[in-house]
Amino acid sequence: MTVFAVEYVYVADSGALRDEARPAHRAWLGELAEEGKLLASGPYGDGAGALLLFKSADEAGLNDLLKQDPFAEAGVIAGIRTTEWTPNIGVLAAHAS
């Protein structure tokens, strides 16, 4: 499995829509964390986006998974950047392929 850093950029002025979709979004993320697919996630301090760290066999499968995010379904994500990432030191290093 490979670790991927996923950066979300939210649609400007989508705060109300995000607030509405957030419970479903967090429940979805919680399930992925329980399954071991999501290593960590959280919003940026400025509210403009978020960083999510996933384990996935490949980027194509991860991209398919990201389409199921309630935030994606609500149309509040303006852009996604997915990058393969290799944690070398720290608690996530054990997850590197």
Side-chain angles (χ1 to χ4, degrees), residues 13-65:
D13 299 322
S14 65
L17 285 174
R18 280 184 278 132
D19 289 345
E20 188 175 310
R22 185 170 289 112
H25 167 72
R26 288 201 174 154
W28 178 77
L29 291 174
E31 289 175 16
L32 294 175
E34 286 179 19
E35 295 170 7
K37 295 177 183 178
L38 177 68
L39 302 176
S41 71
Y44 292 132
D46 65 2
L51 176 66
L52 307 95
L53 300 174
F54 284 94
K55 282 178 69 171
S56 181
D58 56 52
E59 189 172 355
L62 176 59
N63 288 333
D64 287 341
L65 181 66

Side-chain angles (χ1 to χ4, degrees), residues 85-90 92-93 96:
W85 181 60
T86 305
N88 291 317
I89 298 171
L92 297 179

